[in-house]
Amino acid sequence: MGLLAFVSSIPHTETALLSLFVIVLASIAVVQWFKPKLRLPPGPVAVPIFGNWLQVGDDLNHENLSEMAKKYGEIFLLRMGQRNLVVISSPELAKEVLHTQGVEFGSRTRNVVFDIFTGKGQDMVFTVYGDHWRKMRRIMTVPFFTNKVVQHARSHWEEEINSVIADIKADPDAASTGMVVRRRLQMLMYNNMFRMMFGRRFEKVDDPLFLELKRLNGERSRLAQSFEYNYGDFIPILRPFLRNYLKQCQKVKDERLILFKGFVEERQRETKVNPPSTDEKCAIDHILDAYKNGEISYDNVLYIVENINVAAIETTLWSIEWGLAEIVNNPDVQKSMRDELNSVLGPGVPLTEPDVPKLPYLHWVVKETMRLHMAIPLLVPHMNLHQAKLGGYDIPAESKILVNAWWLANNPEWWNKPDVFNPDRFAGPEKIEANGNDFRFLPFGVGRRSCPGIILAIPIVSLVLGRLVQSFELLPPPGFRKVDTKGHGGQFSLRIANHSVIVCKPIN
Ligand code: HEM
């Protein structure tokens, strides 16, 4: 039977359907033909629907991504379901993303979970690059990120670490079997930030309000950093299966905002009775001024409080905890720190914030801690709103860009024995700082979306570690040679996996 005869033998409706099918196929072919061919970065071969997800799995931590960089190079592409994920592993390309093309790559990716916690980008950390971000960053700078703020807050930081030292000395076990110092340091970090933010502190580690705050912030971190919800993020048609997970996120988010609102209102009641002078204002007073001027909404105020709770407190605490573990595990380093403190300040003279710049060895210890154990090893993911070029490749719009800052700071090609904790590596003439003056060392990122909190984090970490070393001989618990420094990674965070017991023998 000829083709004409075959077609004329098909009933009318079926002919119509067949024609439609042929037209659709032809249109797809035409679109594909004329669509500009993208030159995508290298990467493993992707399969339909799942992309590379089934090959590489969920745990895209800094170490796994470093291994892949050895195979695929300084820039590679992973297709995680519908999402494009571009991983950057060289200082040159990091410079391109964060500095040269900082505007193009200056946005943040969104996902269903972060959308809940940030009210779809009403905050500052996770919002796209644009007017809202600029306004939020400006409004947060005066109350948090200036030298004047440091000068105002530093006596509080000194009080807080002195109070920690007094509490450790009062603990009958601390000098013998040891204690989990981290538990007390956590309250120190909350107090440092809550004094800056609200002019208030927590007295006791078992204060119910403090416990509730810690619980909710812990839940927020767990839910947001987990890999459990990847499937709904990578393959949108699977999102209905995330319903329960998202419900939990919504509940934690609502409870946190109510709690934060309570702190804001408490401060508002106080300042109504006793209006603060310009010098007495704390961060929330400035932020509420911006709200009253109509610059931001009340929700924006609460999301700023949310951002400080996650971005400032945990990251700094993790760095302190890791620094402490390395000081315990490296008695020579501990001794060199103590010798420097004794010789620069004099034995028994407590370290204060203005002394920190006079203590280079202490500074190297802090930088070495942040090099080996980066709290945010992949930075906060960046994103390009529009199609862009990087390293000669086409980067599709809305790709998630991970800069593997940990690998940049731990690549044996340019770091000698990178897995060894050696503060002296920073003694060289290169003067590598944490502020991004060298693209091999970016613990705070660099450029437009870099961490503005560096101005607070470095002196706080230095002060806490320095004062502890001045006050105690810090040792592993009886029967152990070292404390555990294993890490636990999340979507883009890294913390110590186990909170170790540390023996603190007072130094007279
Ligand atoms: C050791 C402590 C800290 C570390 C390691 C750290 C690290 C980082 C990193 C890597 C980023 C992302 C940079 C990028 O995406 O390019 C970031 C962003 C940010 N950090 Fe920190 N941070 C620390 C402490 C703080 C503190 C104390 C504050 C506030 C008081 C803070 C506030 C922020 C904010 C608001 C952002 C978002 C900036 C933006 O998107 O424009 N951080 N931090």
Side-chain angles (χ1 to χ4, degrees), residues 98 106 108 124-127 133 137 140 144-145 189 193 196 307-308 311-320 370 374-382 403 405 442-454 456-458 460-461:
L98 302 172
R108 300 284 193 209
M124 192 266 248
V125 181
F126 296 99
T127 195
W133 169 79
R137 191 141 170 154
M140 283 176 78
F144 288 111
F145 308 127
M189 252 338 277
M193 294 318 299
M196 286 180 74
N307 277 180
I308 294 294
I313 295 177
E314 303 214 336
T315 44
T316 313
L317 182 65
W318 296 335
S319 304
I320 294 174
M370 293 179 174
M374 250 176 221
I376 319 279
L378 303 170
L379 307 185
V380 179
H382 285 237
V403 176
L442 302 172
F444 295 91
V446 66
R448 290 166 178 78
R449 297 310 289 257
S450 68
C451 177
I454 184 175
L456 314 177
I458 296 273
I460 291 176
V461 177

Side-chain angles (χ1 to χ4, degrees), residues 66 89-91 363-364 366-374 404-443:
S66 306
S89 310
S90 74
H363 193 44
W364 301 340
V366 171
K367 286 192 285 192
E368 180 65 348
T369 301
M370 293 179 174
R371 182 195 67 78
L372 192 54
H373 309 289
M374 250 176 221
N404 192 346
W406 180 84
W407 182 231
L408 300 182
N410 285 269
N411 186 332
E413 263 184 55
W414 47 83
W415 296 93
N416 183 24
K417 295 193 185 147
D419 47 345
V420 175
F421 186 82
N422 172 21
D424 286 304
R425 72 174 76 248
F426 285 101
E430 286 169 296
K431 299 260 178 296
I432 301 180
E433 293 301 337
N435 62 8
N437 69 343
D438 188 310
F439 282 82
R440 290 170 298 180
F441 183 52
L442 302 172

